[in-house]
Amino acid sequence: MNGALGMAGIALGLAASVLGGVTLVVGLAKHRLRLVRSGTVYVWLVLAGAVLAVIAMERALITRDFSLSYVAEVGSSRTPALYNVASLWSALDGSILLWTIILALYLAATLLWFRRRLSDPLVTWALVVLFAISTFFFLLLAGPANPFGAVSGAIPLDGPGPNPLLQNHPLMVIHPPMLYLGYVGFSVPFAFAIGGLITGRVGEGWLLDTRRWTLFAWGFLSAGIVLGAWWSYEVLGWGGVWGWDPVENASLLPWLTGTAFIHSVLVQERRGMLRVWNLSLLAATFCLTILGTFLTRSGVIESVHAFSDGPIGVYLLMFFALAAGTSIGLIGWRGDRLRSPGSIDSPLSREGAFLANNVLFALFAFVVLLGTVFPLVVEALQDRRLSVGRPFFDRMTTPLGLALLTLMAIAPVLPWRKASAELLRHRLFWPACLGVACVVVPVLLGADGLAPLLAFGLGGFAAGSALRQLVLATRRQGWRGLVGRANGGMVVHVGVIIIAVALAAQTSYQRSGEFRLSPGETATFGGHRFTLLDQVREDTPAAVVLKARIRIDDGPVHAPARQQFKGRGDIVATPSVRTGLAEDVYLTLLKPSTEDDARVTFGVRLMPLSLWLWTGGALMAVGTVLAAFPGRRRRPTDPASAPIMSRPADEVAARQDEAEADLVAVPRLGGADV
């Protein structure tokens, strides 16, 4: 029953994707608007097919229908209900199903948002591209990644349940869907970029139409990365949040290129420049989401995050090549129309800073891509294993990160076209003072090390610049001054800076120790006292849990644990964390007591500023929402300062630099390019 419903949903979605794309293309070719409008009905059939397939799989997981091979692989009667529902995306086939349902939702949302502009060929071509992408993923579900295949042989009475690492923290219910909302969300601006290239409308109109889509996709991806780091911190027991794991890198790569695009698109809107670069960045971001999916689902890498070896790797690689080749071909075809009408007047200007910012993000992405993919290439060509670990990434990315912090301090105070030294001295004085203070105070407290102190100083410098902008905006407009792309972006900057400083502190100044105590004994470390009370055993339906109850500084009792899951037999260590503003106390149970030895071995890590990692992530989310809404609009007083008008038939609000506030207005959407 569940298998038949699921396959019916996949068949419906696949047929609707193909027919929808074909109908729209025929309608465009014959200039028949009625046919184009009728083709949009298939959007709802795609969504219905995806929803039906997801409902069928969730029903199979909830009812423990072990006649389906996917449920037999990840389902279990012992799995708690919350993680049983989340088992949908705990393995390869289900993760592709999650991708498909999110893509169908984006397709439907795109149709609703642009329903009044179906006569615009650019919108129609964008829908065609989205239909093509959904066709590919439905083909995966119908073939190599079919989650509704029947069990061969006897139907098992129970299953092993999902990977133990995926069922011992609630973040696994939120983190993967959030990442996928980011990954798949970039399909929408990519589709409009391809539509613009096909129709020859390569001005700024498609950028304005998709600004919020890009911003929210980036916001979801940012939130997914931060939540993934939090999950790693809370679950894996190694005390860190980012280990340059290949799967972590796979999510970072599109974030880097997406961040570069969000910045450089401002230059195109304002000055009509960087058109080829922006199209290339957007195409690269979409292609990197496909490459990341290949890395995590093909079995070519070994990682706690990656899925086991699967048959879809070659298909994803072919789709990646098709998307990249199509993008490059279309950009080359429209090269004569992509010439920029403007040029950079001075390197010391906002557009100059954005260009430098783009170069740094591109270098950052190249380093991460090289360190992630190069070992795979060596293994494929020479049949030998090559390891590129954390030292390489830290050594190569630290200078780039410090340079980006410097730009984050300078760029917000720069005007368009050209800045004077006097203006920079005036605007950067107080931010520079804060940067100096952020170095002096840690040194007085005993901090050392060139890289972390530089991170503290540049972080303070950049934070001072962002806060200056926010203070000036709120002084002029009250709290509404925080709303809008410019000042919402400053809130995001503050969040990123907090994360950067917290990472520098955590990486450079964490301390660790290991103790072996009998019940009642006490150890001291880093100014804290740790008293082992006892060890307890809990037998839950899913696992046998051994907990060491440890009191910290005569305060609450914490219980790091080791869980042996009954379905798979895996043993997973679960840390216990006491969170504080200045530092976290991170406990792990290394070796429980036995009948022959009552002593318990546990590890202690003192992790400075860990709480601020999650605080910075929350600020990034708030800033993304603020940036999505338009701020106060104003017309330029100086015609020479007006942006390039890509759509003369419509009124496009221009942005104006002010001597103190540097408040930037948000262009209005609508209309067509000429």
Side-chain angles (χ1 to χ4, degrees), residues 267-273 341-343 345 351 416-417 644:
V267 180
Q268 183 174 345
E269 291 178 10
R270 177 74 184 211
R271 302 289 308 279
M273 298 162 51
S343 61
D345 299 324
E351 53 266 49
W416 294 96
R417 297 187 181 276
I644 298 295

Side-chain angles (χ1 to χ4, degrees), residues 151-210:
V151 170
S152 58
I155 298 175
L157 299 176
D158 205 349
N163 186 320
L165 290 173
L166 307 182
Q167 56 172 313
N168 65 344
H169 200 286
L171 281 174
M172 280 314 297
V173 181
I174 309 170
H175 159 56
M178 197 69 70
L179 268 182
Y180 280 41
L181 283 167
Y183 276 151
V184 185
F186 282 111
S187 301
V188 177
F190 171 76
F192 274 84
I194 296 297
L197 287 167
I198 292 174
T199 58
R201 305 246 301 277
V202 292
E204 284 61 65
W206 68 271
L207 290 175
L208 305 181
D209 288 337
T210 59

Side-chain angles (χ1 to χ4, degrees), residues 59 81 358 361 482 535 632:
R59 184 175 183 274
N358 270 242
F361 271 114
L482 297 178
Q535 178 178 288
R632 193 176 74 180

Side-chain angles (χ1 to χ4, degrees), residues 230 233-234 239 506 511 523 525-531 548 550-560 574-588 603-612 614:
W230 195 1
Y233 183 73
E234 293 279 349
Q506 190 186 81
R511 292 171 289 169
F525 178 72
H528 299 281
R529 292 189 300 112
F530 304 92
T531 303
I550 301 170
R551 189 182 300 278
I552 304 175
D553 297 333
D554 298 324
V557 175
H558 291 261
T574 304
S576 180
V577 185
R578 190 185 80 172
T579 301
L581 288 175
E583 70 175 6
D584 284 5
V585 180
Y586 191 94
L587 300 177
T588 53
V604 178
R605 291 179 182 269
L606 303 181
M607 312 293 294
L609 303 185
S610 290
L611 176 64
W612 295 97
W614 329 129

